[in-house]
Amino acid sequence: EPHQGVPEEILRLLRGSEPGTFDSALLAGGWNLLCQEGLSCFLECERLGVEVHVAGVFASGLLVSKGGTYAYRDAPAELVERTERWRALASRHNCSLPAVAIGFAALPRCVTRVVIGMANPQQVEQTMAWVKESGTVPCAVWAEAKELGLLSPATPVP
């Protein structure tokens, strides 16, 4: 059963409403280093002038910790392997994986906010350091990610 915030639900709401009904949308999942299913949603939001707030940038925590869960279940081996490929790519460019994840979430022009959950002061401090670092992720990361098959050739990058 789909839940609100997934790309298809946002598209359904936008297309079923009068123009100008929505000025923003929360995309919760569907746009992170492990899943870019939200691309069609971004394209529609850009066309309509709707701002997008992106949540789920750490893929249920998989992009900030070793192993773990994805979508509230044990992470499939394929996603753990893909995460490690991203981690190696980030490392080659002297970046942390969480900073690359935040930088990626903010790439689409229509994204005006990146939503990140934090549970304690230490996580706030660490997350703010990653946010600052995300502004220094080199464009070469995105080009190499496409070459490695980590990003679809259709994914718009700088």
Side-chain angles (χ1 to χ4, degrees), residues 3-158:
H3 62 280
Q4 291 187 359
V6 297
E8 300 80 21
E9 182 70 5
I10 292 171
L11 287 172
R12 184 187 69 74
L13 290 169
L14 289 173
R15 291 173 179 160
S17 302
E18 293 293 321
T21 300
F22 297 100
D23 59 8
S24 65
L26 172 63
L27 180 64
W31 191 254
N32 58 57
L33 298 179
L34 302 177
C35 174
Q36 293 93 47
E37 292 175 9
L39 181 57
S40 61
C41 181
F42 288 129
L43 296 174
E44 186 73 0
C45 286
E46 282 182 12
R47 187 181 75 75
L48 297 171
V50 173
E51 296 179 359
V52 178
H53 310 164
V54 176
V57 301
F58 294 144
S60 302
L62 191 56
L63 296 170
V64 293
S65 60
K66 299 276 187 178
T69 61
Y70 181 79
Y72 310 105
R73 296 189 175 111
D74 287 339
E78 185 272 328
L79 288 182
V80 172
E81 184 271 334
R82 192 171 179 82
T83 299
E84 291 311 311
R85 290 176 61 208
W86 271 109
R87 192 179 315 282
L89 172 60
S91 180
R92 282 195 298 279
H93 291 272
N94 299 310
C95 299
S96 70
L97 182 56
V100 171
I102 294 167
F104 179 76
L107 283 179
R109 286 188 302 255
C110 59
V111 172
T112 58
R113 289 174 177 78
V114 175
V115 180
I116 301 171
M118 296 163 269
N120 58 52
Q122 293 79 17
Q123 287 182 1
V124 172
E125 188 175 311
Q126 177 61 75
T127 300
M128 294 314 297
W130 288 331
V131 167
K132 183 176 180 181
E133 181 190 353
S134 73
T136 67
V137 174
C139 292
V141 167
W142 315 126
E144 190 175 338
K146 284 187 174 190
E147 290 170 13
L148 295 170
L150 291 170
L151 289 177
S152 159
T155 304
V157 296

